[in-house]
Amino acid sequence: CWRLIYTTSDSILGTTRPRPFRPRYKRILQSIDARQLAAKNEEWVLLGLLKNMVRARLTPRDDGRTVDVQFLRFGIGWLRIPAPAAAKGVLETTYLDDTLRVSRGDKGNLFVLVREGGFAGLKTSLWRGRRAHKGGASLVTCSDSRCVKRTSYCYLVFSSLS
């Protein structure tokens, strides 16, 4: 399970929602099933009393770091709503290690996630990623084998570190 620690996405942060309905960073999680190519994002609002979620199908591209995301179902508390066919996006993983994942979405948003319970390597991972970045558009890209074959950790539905 991954936990979102930073994003530039206003929709994920819920900036247009009334304050009680905005998620808190500690309560935005993502589970990924690499074998089934599926993802589930969850957020808790109303002081943790209500859980919202979204389920998505992931389709990896040949470059080994980009995934097409087709949202399938939204959930608001107990209510489940099928997602429209137009609810889709693209994510590129720009950095990945055992504890940190950085991605950028097709709308330019940045997503930084840490493996739940994995804060120990966060500072080191950020430093390594920035050190490896030499003025290009992305940080460090992950290899094909790491992204496609690892279970429940490569593809994300959050993105980018500027």
Side-chain angles (χ1 to χ4, degrees), residues 3-8 13 23-29:
R3 184 165 51 84
L4 182 70
I5 60 168
Y6 177 81
T7 186
T8 57
L13 294 175
R24 295 175 21 214
Y25 273 121
K26 294 179 182 178
R27 303 299 296 191
I28 301 176
L29 302 176

Side-chain angles (χ1 to χ4, degrees), residues 9-91:
S9 172
D10 288 336
S11 64
I12 288 176
L13 294 175
T15 56
T16 60
R17 300 183 214 169
R19 189 164 299 280
F21 294 96
R22 293 180 191 170
R24 295 175 21 214
Y25 273 121
K26 294 179 182 178
R27 303 299 296 191
I28 301 176
L29 302 176
Q30 181 179 67
S31 301
I32 299 168
D33 183 337
R35 291 181 196 159
Q36 298 294 317
L37 295 176
K40 179 172 82 170
N41 294 344
E42 300 173 313
E43 66 177 26
W44 282 261
V45 296
L46 291 174
L47 301 173
L49 300 174
L50 182 69
K51 180 176 81 170
N52 297 331
M53 59 78 91
V54 61
R55 291 190 181 272
R57 179 179 56 247
L58 308 173
T59 306
R61 292 191 180 175
D62 290 338
D63 65 5
R65 66 180 183 268
T66 307
V67 61
D68 293 312
V69 180
Q70 177 65 59
F71 296 100
L72 303 173
R73 184 172 57 233
F74 297 103
I76 302 168
W78 53 267
L79 181 64
R80 300 293 183 257
I81 303 164
K88 53 186 163 185
V90 177
L91 285 169

